[in-house]
Amino acid sequence: MSPANIQSTLQAPNMEFTLGEDEQSVVDLAGQIFSHLSDDDRHLASVKTGEAFDATLWEQLVEAGLLEALLPMAEDEPGLGMVGLALIAREQGRYLGRIPFVTTAVAALALAEFGDRPDVLENINAGSALVGVLLPEVRQRINGAVASDGWVLNGHLEFGYVVPSSTHLLVQFHVDGTEMVALIEAERVGVEVDEFTGISNLQHAALSLNNVRVSSEDLIGAQRPAGEVAGWIRPRLLTATAALTAGACEEAVRRTAAYTSEREQFGRPLSTNQGVAMRAADAHIDSVVTWLTTMDAAWQLDNDGEGELAAFTASWCAREGGFRAVHATQHLHGGMGADVDNHIHRFFIWVRELDVLWGSAGQVAEELANVILPLDQS
């Protein structure tokens, strides 16, 4: 690391890990809602309904004001922002809550930040608008062509995360070498949705946009420099997703510790075997690292720190560490871990699905390198 980079790092704001009273209240309330409405039995019952998401769980989250608490209420009341979002997403991950919280919450923060579509933001706070986010994928993106009344979008994406539960779509599209973002209705003419069930049993969709017309009123942050809105959204989505992974890994490790302490082999608990204890400890470390880097990213994004650097770091840690943690917890359950009906298997498939959402670990590592290398050259 160059002397200039070391100096920059030393001068960067330090993350505050202690939760304030409002943040702790959000954690407690979110925990109560998810534990009551998304325990193992209710989670399985929700999956069996075939519905795209758990409407009751979503309704309770909205009525409790948890979405609204994230948003700024006035100039001197900034809301709980990304830190609050990460705290709620962590609780969702612990209970595998089947709701489109992450995408809708990031969209709400974007609308509040850039001051667009207040009608949709109001509906989000009321619980009637749910948002899916369409970002470019490897070798796939949405292209926009300038038209007399705006833009015409065409393209195909194979993985629209929780799109079947969405009333609106936040679409990033490519025009003349830059990225723009628009918010459109999910049922706008030209949007074709091909639903499928993901390995997590969540409902997703492949999407084709065929001559979808977008006007200037649909754009988010139209007055901002080209690419700024897309660059604002992606690190926040990756951070929120890392929080989901952190919660799922934390709960999987907790359940594994309990299982290996109770199950006996050759007259003693499995956890007394050195190989079991060491692997469980490694999974715990991966889980903790994922959470700490996620909280650092959320705090940096809220406080104008090194947000992009921290977000890509957290996302990479979540994909690499989350992968190792859930593989370890499944392995330590022996044959039961491979049983698709076993509770630990659900955490495994959730994290494996999040592992490829909006890019692989390798893609995120490249984005991280693109942030770090200019710092080393400064």
Side-chain angles (χ1 to χ4, degrees):
M1 184 178 285
S2 68
N5 194 8
I6 293 173
Q7 190 64 22
S8 173
T9 302
L10 291 175
Q11 293 175 348
N14 294 318
M15 191 267 165
E16 174 59 69
F17 282 96
T18 305
L19 297 184
E21 185 177 340
D22 291 343
E23 293 161 341
Q24 188 59 56
S25 296
V26 163
V27 172
D28 294 341
L29 183 55
Q32 290 174 18
I33 293 173
F34 282 113
S35 63
H36 177 60
L37 294 176
S38 189
D39 59 17
D40 285 355
D41 291 339
R42 288 178 180 271
H43 175 87
L44 288 174
S46 176
V47 171
K48 289 178 180 177
T49 64
E51 300 292 336
F53 70 108
D54 189 332
T56 302
L57 178 58
W58 181 253
E59 181 181 341
Q60 288 297 311
L61 203 76
V62 171
E63 286 189 0
L66 290 178
L67 264 174
E68 200 168 5
L70 307 180
L71 305 175
M73 301 298 292
E75 189 172 343
D76 58 345
E77 296 181 45
L80 296 179
M82 281 301 301
V83 169
L85 193 160
L87 292 169
I88 297 171
R90 181 197 197 187
E91 296 302 314
Q92 181 187 358
R94 280 175 169 165
Y95 296 96
L96 307 182
R98 297 183 65 251
I99 51 175
F101 168 72
V102 164
T103 51
T104 302
V106 170
L109 288 175
L111 296 181
E113 170 70 16
F114 298 107
D116 295 303
R117 299 301 301 269
D119 55 327
V120 177
L121 184 56
E122 184 177 341
N123 288 336
I124 289 175
N125 285 331
S128 58
L130 301 91
V131 185
V133 181
L134 306 185
L135 297 185
E137 299 174 3
V138 178
R139 296 184 296 277
Q140 295 181 335
R141 69 183 184 193
I142 305 297
N143 292 306
V146 178
S148 58
D149 56 349
W151 296 264
V152 177
L153 309 188
N154 283 283
H156 178 81
L157 295 178
E158 292 182 351
F159 188 13
Y161 180 70
V162 298
V163 160
S165 61
S166 306
T167 60
H168 292 75
L169 300 173
L170 197 63
V171 184
Q172 179 179 329
F173 60 98
H174 185 83
V175 180
D176 296 333
T178 189
E179 300 296 319
M180 302 177 72
V181 177
L183 184 71
I184 63 174
E185 304 81 25
E187 297 181 347
R188 182 162 294 192
V189 175
V191 178
E192 294 183 7
V193 177
D194 185 8
E195 298 185 18
F196 64 87
T197 303
I199 61 172
S200 65
N201 285 319
L202 289 171
Q203 296 298 308
H204 309 303
L207 292 106
S208 294
L209 274 65
N210 301 311
N211 297 318
V212 176
R213 306 196 77 83
V214 170
S215 69
S216 57
E217 287 76 21
D218 296 319
L219 294 184
I220 305 302
Q223 306 304 319
R224 298 295 186 96
E228 181 178 317
V229 178
W232 191 94
I233 290 173
R234 182 166 176 79
R236 284 162 178 79
L237 267 180
L238 294 183
T239 301
T241 309
L244 269 180
T245 300
C249 288
E250 187 175 330
E251 178 63 13
V253 170
R254 188 194 68 77
R255 293 186 183 208
T256 300
Y259 173 76
T260 56
S261 297
E262 294 169 359
R263 185 172 175 82
E264 293 189 356
Q265 196 171 44
F266 306 118
R268 62 179 187 176
L270 285 172
S271 59
T272 60
N273 293 295
Q274 188 179 41
V276 173
M278 292 179 69
R279 187 143 195 223
D282 285 343
H284 173 67
I285 292 171
D286 277 326
S287 174
V288 171
V289 168
T290 297
W291 176 240
L292 292 181
T293 53
T294 298
M295 278 298 283
D296 179 51
W299 192 88
Q300 299 286 352
L301 288 166
D302 281 346
N303 291 277
D304 298 325
E306 301 281 1
E308 200 172 39
L309 173 63
F312 292 141
T313 301
S315 182
W316 183 81
C317 287
R319 290 159 201 268
E320 291 286 348
F323 174 92
R324 288 192 297 266
V326 293
H327 270 267
T329 56
Q330 187 192 38
H331 188 197
L332 292 174
H333 274 74
M336 293 174 61
D339 182 350
V340 296
D341 294 324
N342 188 281
H343 60 92
I344 205 68
H345 192 77
R346 293 199 296 275
F347 292 90
F348 171 74
I349 55 180
W350 256 64
V351 171
R352 290 312 315 270
E353 188 172 81
L354 294 173
D355 181 35
V356 297
L357 180 59
W358 296 311
S360 64
Q363 182 180 341
V364 173
E366 287 184 14
E367 293 177 282
L368 178 59
N370 290 335
V371 175
I372 293 175
L373 289 176
L375 295 176
D376 268 341
Q377 294 167 1
S378 62

